Amino acid sequence: MFGIVRQKISAGGSPLLAFGQRIRPAVSAWRGYSSAAKEITVREALNSALDEEMSADPKVFLMGEEVGEYQGAYKISKGLLDKYGPERVLDTPITEAGFTGIGVGAAYHGLKPVIEFMTFNFSMQAIDHIINSAAKSNYMSSGQISVPIVFRGPNGAAAGVGAQHSHCYASWYASCPGLKVLAPYSSEDARGLLKAAIRDPDPVVFLENELLYGETFPVSAEVLDSSFCVPIGKAKIEREGKDVTITAFSKMVGYALKAAEILAKEGINAEVINLRSIRPLDRDTINASVRKTNRLVTVEEGFPQHGVGAEICASVVEESFGYLDAPVERIAGADVPMPYAANLERLAVPQVEDIVRAAKRACYRSVPMAAAA
């Protein structure tokens, strides 16, 4: 890879051109599907997106710990080393600050790195490169420097891995101008958003969830087409409703949908919004929904203070306050480091029943917490 960058600098040639000449255009396995809906895991969706984008653009390469010989810590990069070789699928030492800095430098010179963190908790080792180098360079150079780089990996709570491996960094990175922050839920999200992130000219933080990798979702033939892409900055209404709006992202979308099913049995028709994009945030879709339902429940795994839900609440108060018929309800993780004990861990992250209770409070179907206290 270093030789490629030197060649780019000295000769002004197209980066990774030699690889583009050697590699035959790949025919994705997904193209063989019929128009009927198929089911694939989130893991398969991410793998296929990486494969197709690396095949389509020789400037794209993957770098991180165990992405090559081990096929990825979570097998997201399975088969890519054999297909594209060690100069486009680079195993690194355990040194996030080092390989993230290399990736940002490569992006400065026209390559399109995909940097994998084994967990986003480890991105703290590299946050100077992500924030001060990647996020700010385009603005500070008056648009002369583009930084087309993707930082991706599992974010938030997994299971039994303790406080240092369970942090949700959505609100951290979403607070920084210059970054785009995406959080997929389904296989469609994962495939379409990762393709959009790799094609984007700006740095993108791509927050996956370890517990979703093995989850299976139906996808259409359109989603399986190599040209498919989910627009950045656009939320998806997963379930339409008229009584209360529930916003969520990543794994919490599934919890919100389960809560909506329970609420429907009690006569409450909830609208569930899958945010998909944390920055930019689709304020228009959120506010349009609240103006219809007149109630809002925000759901996230992260800490409550300065969270994504707090930003959504502020947006609704600023733009749709007159439409609210009840106080906004925020559901978030407990304001403590993640416990290791399984019973305490469950209490520290939102559960389906928490969302159900919040929606009932918003619809005045139960005693509000303040009154109960």
Side-chain angles (χ1 to χ4, degrees), residues 24-41:
R24 295 192 302 271
V27 178
S28 170
W30 310 113
R31 297 303 297 274
Y33 280 133
S34 67
S35 58
K38 301 292 183 179
E39 290 192 348
I40 62 173
T41 64

Side-chain angles (χ1 to χ4, degrees), residues 99-100 102-107 111-115 134 146-151 179 197-198 200-205:
F99 65 76
T100 303
I102 291 170
V104 173
L111 304 183
K112 296 183 177 180
V114 178
I115 304 300
S146 292
V147 192
I149 187 170
V150 177
F151 306 101
L179 291 177
I198 293 171
D200 199 89
D202 296 315
V204 178
V205 172

Side-chain angles (χ1 to χ4, degrees), residues 24-192:
R24 295 192 302 271
V27 178
S28 170
W30 310 113
R31 297 303 297 274
Y33 280 133
S34 67
S35 58
K38 301 292 183 179
E39 290 192 348
I40 62 173
T41 64
V42 171
R43 178 181 289 107
E44 291 168 333
L46 293 168
N47 178 268
S48 68
L50 280 169
D51 184 6
E52 291 173 9
E53 293 307 302
M54 290 180 73
S55 175
D57 189 343
K59 297 189 294 294
V60 179
F61 69 93
L62 176 66
M63 181 163 56
E65 297 156 4
E66 299 185 344
V67 299
E69 295 289 347
Y70 191 67
Q71 309 284 313
Y74 305 97
K75 301 299 180 275
I76 303 301
S77 54
K78 184 178 180 180
L80 299 183
L81 175 64
D82 291 340
K83 189 170 186 177
Y84 298 103
E87 290 185 297
R88 293 186 68 194
V89 182
L90 291 88
D91 278 320
T92 69
I94 303 174
T95 170
E96 284 79 10
F99 65 76
T100 303
I102 291 170
V104 173
Y108 283 170
H109 290 288
L111 304 183
K112 296 183 177 180
V114 178
I115 304 300
E116 177 177 310
F117 296 118
M118 199 174 291
T119 163
F120 257 93
N121 295 268
F122 300 157
S123 74
M124 293 295 95
Q125 302 292 326
I127 197 166
D128 179 57
H129 293 301
I130 299 171
I131 302 298
N132 284 325
S133 299
K136 299 178 182 178
S137 291
N138 186 263
Y139 177 84
M140 294 179 70
S141 67
S142 296
Q144 297 179 74
I145 299 176
S146 292
V147 192
I149 187 170
V150 177
F151 306 101
R152 54 156 293 271
N155 169 72
V161 292
Q164 294 174 323
H165 297 74
S166 303
H167 199 125
C168 176
Y169 289 95
S171 62
W172 281 48
Y173 286 116
S175 69
C176 182
L179 291 177
K180 294 175 182 176
V181 181
L182 308 179
Y185 160 61
S186 65
S187 298
E188 176 182 321
D189 292 352
R191 183 170 157 80

